[in-house]
């Protein structure tokens, strides 16, 4: 039979994915609404799922189903078809093989659309099929990369050797509009790629754009270093900073909407010998967490934190280095309390995510609103729960501890290596030992561990020094590196925690200023705590992460 006259419903019935009655019902619906294709009706009414539809078409038409995660996409080939046409027909040109353009289509029976696209590319084509959502995602990602490159090229072509004065309003200055477009495209691409930070670094002959993804800094593009001054000025305007000041560091933040979502971005600008280096952090782009229903924790730690959260007052500290997901954990813990009939107040620098039914205060040092002064004022607001974004000094620590002792549940963060050493850190900040003993109810230390890329994961025999770290194993795993992980060998991260639940014995040791080693020894007995190093070691054995991650975190932690 001519493929152009194959009915999709008949294919599905013949292959057992659909009953005759369901097909008749779908055809009856189509008679009433002739604008809808039969496949769309079958999906809308849950008679079939998209996997069944693609499998049926693949078998009947002898077409390959494309796995976009495993298949490389050449963005220059994608650009052969205008984005509007690709989205209209759900067809993407992924790459060229053997002189033929690979066209991945969602509906291989839409022959008019396929012929229309073929006439646009004017090259021999090979048809493959793919899921609607994956085609749209691939298109958006490819065109975000193209927009970023095009904006950089236009900006490079527009820059003038003699630009001296910085325009006061870059948005309305036509000659500098390419700079605006370039910055927008850089931010959008980073957001779509799941970056946590954007680095814009001027050097002697070029300006380097890099993204931090899964903890690794990935080179993205080089642009003309002559753009440095204009890029810096534009970002300063967006962040409310002084565009005339380029000799001292400046910090600020701004908000931008991406796909209808408001994104808060923190900006740090630092003068260097070749210009100002800029780091932008996506504050609203929270770390993606496995096991989100249990705060990203395993069952053992989830039960411990659940007990701690039931305490009526006290201080709960989240510790770890910058970028370890502390804020994500804090917000998850606070959100778990929102449904209770309580007054929750926060003081943050800056507010990273707006929370419903929570009074959030943003630090403003220029106006005299610091963590210390804000926290003092907050205690007069009849709060039940207080979140202090970060304990940075002894005064803030003292007020937070006092608030916990006087009947409030307080959450905050500290930069310490592990849970137990947090006690030493507070003592170093001149907080009285009896106040620490009476206030702390729990300490959560956490890290984000890189996961081996599942697409290039390989098994290998460990060397002697690796077997010493994980005795008894005969094989380990690592990522070879592929296009899915930017050839890093890692894709995604998982949070690991160690939780010190402060009981009467630990309180006594703190109040008596016993050596911190005594607390370590007590906490490790009878399974009271599972240290981060042991959790990472088990992840290595299970093939979740690599031995290199274990070595790195052991060297940092202990």
């Amino acid at each position: 039979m001519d493929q152009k006259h194959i009915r999709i419903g008949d294919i599905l019935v013949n292959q057992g994915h659909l009953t005759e009655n369901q097909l008749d019902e779908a055809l009856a619906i189509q008679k009433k609404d002739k604008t809808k294709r039969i496949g769309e009706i079958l999906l809308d009414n849950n008679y079939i799922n998209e996997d069944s539809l693609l499998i049926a078409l693949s078998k009947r038409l002898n077409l390959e189903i494309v796995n976009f995660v495993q298949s490389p996409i050449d963005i220059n080939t994608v650009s052969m078809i205008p984005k509007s046409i690709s989205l209209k027909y759900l067809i993407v040109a992924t790459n060229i093989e053997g002189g033929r353009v690979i066209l991945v289509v969602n509906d291989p029976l839409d022959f008019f659309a396929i012929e229309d696209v073929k006439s646009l590319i004017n090259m021999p084509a090979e048809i493959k099929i793919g899921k609607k959502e994956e085609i749209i995602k691939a298109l958006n990602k490819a065109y975000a990369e193209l927009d970023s490159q095009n904006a950089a090229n236009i900006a490079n072509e527009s820059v003038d050797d003699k630009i001296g004065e910085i325009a006061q309003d870059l948005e309305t200055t036509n000659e500098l509009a390419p700079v605006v477009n370039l910055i927008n495209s850089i931010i959008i691409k980073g957001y779509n790629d799941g970056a946590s930070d954007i680095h814009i670094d001027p050097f002697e002959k070029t300006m380097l754009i890099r993204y931090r993804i899964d903890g690794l800094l990935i080179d993205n593009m080089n642009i003309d270093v002559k753009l440095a001054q204009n890029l810096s000025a534009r970002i300063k305007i967006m962040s409310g900073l002084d565009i005339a000041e380029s000799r001292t560091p400046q910090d600020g933040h701004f908000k931008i909407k991406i796909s209808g979502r408001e994104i808060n971005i923190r900006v740090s600008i630092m003068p260097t010998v070749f210009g100002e280096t800029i780091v932008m952090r996506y504050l609203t782009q929270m770390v993606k967490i496995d096991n989100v229903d249990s705060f990203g924790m395993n069952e053992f730690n989830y039960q411990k934190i659940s007990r701690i959260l039931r305490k009526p007052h006290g201080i709960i500290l989240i510790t770890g280095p910058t970028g370890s997901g502390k804020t994500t954990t804090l917000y998850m813990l606070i959100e778990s309390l929102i449904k209770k009939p309580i007054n929750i107040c926060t003081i943050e620098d800056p507010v990273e995510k707006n929370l419903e039914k929570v009074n959030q205060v943003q630090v403003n040092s220029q106006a005299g609103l610091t963590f210390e002064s804000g926290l003092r004022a907050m205690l007069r607001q009849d709060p039940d729960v207080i979140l202090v974004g970060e304990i940075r000094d002894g005064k803030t620590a003292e007020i937070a501890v006092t608030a916990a002792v006087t009947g409030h549940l307080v959450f905050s963060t500290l930069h310490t290596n592990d849970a137990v050493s947090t006690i030493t850190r507070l003592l170093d900040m001149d907080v009285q030992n009896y106040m620490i003993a009476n206030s702390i109810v729990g300490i959560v230390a956490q890290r984000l561990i890189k996961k081996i890329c599942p697409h290039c994961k390989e098994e290998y025999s460990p060397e002697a020094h690796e077997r010493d770290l994980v005795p008894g194993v005969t094989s380990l795993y690592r990522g070879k590196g592929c296009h899915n992980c930017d050839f890093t060998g890692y894709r995604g991260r998982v949070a690991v925690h160690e939780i010190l639940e402060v009981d009467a014995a630990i309180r006594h040791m703190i109040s008596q200023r016993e050596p911190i080693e005594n607390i370590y020894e007590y906490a490790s007995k009878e399974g009271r705590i599972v240290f981060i190093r042991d959790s990472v070691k088990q992840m290595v054995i299970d093939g979740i992460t690599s031995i290199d991650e274990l070595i790195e975190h052991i060297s940092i932690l202990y």
Side-chain angles (χ1 to χ4, degrees):
M1 183 186 292
D2 185 348
Q3 286 186 358
K4 291 188 179 182
H5 297 96
I6 297 173
R7 294 201 313 171
I8 192 170
D10 293 335
I11 296 172
L12 290 160
V13 170
N14 291 338
Q15 295 187 6
H17 298 292
L18 188 71
T19 67
E20 289 281 2
N21 288 339
Q22 288 173 328
L23 177 57
D24 290 341
E25 289 172 10
L27 290 170
I29 294 170
Q30 190 182 40
K31 282 184 179 180
K32 295 178 182 178
D33 185 358
K34 294 184 179 180
T35 61
K36 285 192 173 184
R37 301 178 66 82
I38 192 68
E40 184 182 358
I41 294 169
L42 293 170
L43 291 170
D44 288 346
N45 287 273
N46 295 319
Y47 292 147
I48 59 169
N49 58 39
E50 191 174 11
D51 286 328
S52 298
L53 179 60
L54 293 185
I55 290 169
L57 290 169
S58 172
K59 289 180 179 178
R60 183 64 184 83
L61 302 175
N62 194 29
L63 296 175
E64 179 186 341
I65 299 175
V66 172
N67 182 331
F68 280 92
V69 175
Q70 297 176 348
S71 302
I73 295 178
D74 175 48
I75 61 172
N76 293 318
T77 306
V78 173
S79 67
M80 294 174 70
I81 308 171
K83 186 178 181 182
S84 57
I85 299 295
S86 286
L87 287 173
K88 176 183 177 182
Y89 293 142
L90 290 177
I91 298 176
V92 58
T94 58
N95 57 306
I96 297 175
E97 294 178 0
R100 302 172 72 85
V101 179
I102 305 301
L103 294 179
V104 182
V105 309
N106 182 246
D107 184 358
L109 297 180
D110 190 349
F111 297 101
F112 295 107
I114 293 171
E115 291 303 320
D116 195 5
V117 169
K118 282 183 177 179
S119 67
L120 281 172
I121 61 175
N122 196 27
M123 273 186 70
E126 179 182 344
I127 306 300
K128 298 183 181 182
I129 52 179
K131 285 186 176 182
K132 176 181 178 180
E133 183 180 331
E134 291 182 358
I135 288 174
I136 293 172
K137 186 176 179 180
L139 278 168
N140 287 334
K141 185 173 182 180
Y143 271 96
E145 182 116 4
L146 282 165
D147 291 344
S148 182
Q149 287 186 3
N150 291 337
N153 291 336
I154 293 170
N156 286 337
E157 291 168 5
S158 302
V159 70
D160 190 323
D161 284 333
K162 297 179 180 178
I163 291 178
E165 294 297 320
I166 299 298
Q168 293 296 315
D169 185 359
L170 295 184
E171 286 204 45
T172 58
T173 305
N174 291 334
E175 69 182 48
L176 295 177
V179 173
V180 176
N181 295 332
L182 174 59
I183 291 170
N184 290 344
S185 64
I186 288 170
I187 293 171
I188 292 169
K189 174 172 170 49
Y191 179 80
N192 288 336
D193 287 354
S196 61
D197 302 84
I198 302 169
H199 288 245
I200 303 176
D201 300 316
F203 297 104
E204 186 175 7
K205 297 180 180 179
T206 188
M207 178 180 282
L208 180 60
I209 308 297
R210 296 182 288 180
Y211 295 109
R212 188 172 295 282
I213 301 173
D214 293 334
L216 299 173
L217 208 52
I218 309 297
D219 290 1
N220 179 253
M221 72 171 84
N222 288 288
I223 57 179
D224 198 323
V225 74
K226 297 171 188 174
L227 286 169
Q229 194 177 17
N230 294 321
L231 277 170
S232 176
R234 168 60 184 164
I235 291 170
K236 286 177 183 177
I237 287 173
M238 294 170 72
S239 310
L241 301 177
D242 184 357
I243 63 171
E245 179 56 70
S246 59
R247 296 168 299 175
T248 60
Q250 293 192 70
D251 295 311
H253 66 96
F254 62 88
K255 291 182 179 180
I256 187 172
K257 277 196 173 182
I258 301 177
S259 301
R261 186 182 179 195
E262 193 172 72
I263 307 301
N264 199 351
I265 296 177
R266 185 172 67 202
V267 175
S268 173
I269 300 179
M270 174 79 72
T272 71
V273 292
F274 295 117
E276 292 176 299
T277 182
I278 302 167
V279 177
M280 295 187 283
R281 167 160 289 193
Y282 298 92
L283 297 178
T284 318
Q285 185 131 325
M286 307 298 280
V287 177
K288 293 179 175 62
I289 294 291
D290 294 347
N291 307 318
V292 68
D293 293 336
S294 56
F295 309 130
M297 300 176 183
N298 59 32
E299 185 62 24
F300 175 74
N301 284 326
Y302 176 65
Q303 292 302 325
K304 290 180 76 172
I305 195 65
S306 297
R307 286 195 300 271
I308 293 169
L309 287 173
R310 288 195 288 269
K311 302 285 185 181
H313 55 81
I315 188 166
I316 300 170
L317 293 171
I318 315 295
T319 75
T322 300
S324 61
K326 296 189 301 294
T327 302
T328 301
T329 299
L330 266 182
Y331 275 117
M332 287 193 292
L333 296 178
I334 290 295
E335 286 176 325
S336 73
L337 303 174
I338 286 176
K339 292 181 181 179
K340 295 184 177 182
I342 55 177
N343 180 20
I344 303 175
C345 300
T346 78
I347 179 162
E348 306 168 66
D349 183 24
V351 172
E352 299 196 15
K353 178 182 177 183
N354 294 326
L355 299 174
E356 187 179 354
K357 295 176 66 177
V358 175
N359 297 307
Q360 294 173 273
V361 176
Q362 185 161 295
V363 166
N364 186 343
S365 299
Q366 291 181 340
L369 179 55
T370 62
F371 277 115
E372 180 189 347
S373 63
L375 185 51
R376 288 186 189 278
M378 195 170 286
L379 290 172
R380 298 191 288 272
Q381 292 286 309
D382 186 31
D384 298 290
V385 174
I386 298 171
L387 184 153
V388 183
E390 183 182 347
I391 292 178
R392 296 179 178 174
D393 53 56
K395 281 289 185 184
T396 305
E398 185 181 343
I399 300 167
V401 165
T402 302
V405 171
T406 55
H408 305 89
L409 189 60
V410 180
F411 294 82
S412 193
T413 67
L414 266 178
H415 292 281
T416 61
N417 273 343
D418 57 72
V420 178
S421 66
T422 302
I423 297 165
T424 303
R425 178 77 178 110
L426 289 172
L427 289 169
D428 290 342
M429 297 173 83
D430 293 328
V431 181
Q432 295 297 320
N433 57 309
Y434 69 89
M435 291 291 286
I436 298 172
N438 289 325
S439 63
I440 294 185
V441 292
I443 303 170
V444 180
Q446 73 176 63
R447 291 291 189 280
L448 290 176
I449 304 299
K450 295 191 287 290
K451 295 191 291 186
I452 297 171
C453 175
H455 308 292
C456 60
K457 183 176 180 178
E458 67 174 4
E459 187 176 356
Y460 72 99
S461 297
E463 297 180 10
H465 75 280
E466 294 175 325
R467 289 195 297 271
D468 290 341
L469 289 170
V470 280
V473 299
T474 57
S475 61
L476 292 174
Y477 297 87
R478 62 191 171 197
K480 290 187 295 184
C482 65
H483 71 276
N484 294 293
C485 59
D486 287 315
F487 298 94
T488 63
Y490 299 100
R491 185 179 175 90
R493 291 186 288 178
V494 61
V496 292
H497 309 82
E498 62 183 40
I499 301 180
L500 181 67
E501 192 173 1
V502 179
D503 59 15
I506 294 176
R507 291 187 199 286
H508 178 75
M509 284 187 273
I510 296 172
S511 63
Q512 296 301 310
R513 280 188 174 270
E514 290 191 24
I516 201 70
E517 290 77 14
N518 292 2
I519 300 178
Y520 274 111
E521 184 181 354
Y522 172 80
S524 59
K525 283 181 179 178
E526 300 176 10
R528 289 188 179 91
I529 190 171
V530 176
F531 292 108
I532 286 175
R533 63 169 178 244
D534 297 320
S535 296
V536 178
K537 189 178 293 186
Q538 188 59 51
M539 290 168 59
V540 171
I541 295 169
D542 294 339
I544 297 169
T545 192
S546 70
I547 194 77
D548 289 339
E549 277 291 271
L550 175 62
I551 293 169
E552 178 180 340
H553 286 278
I554 283 179
S555 65
I556 292 172
L557 283 165
Y558 309 102

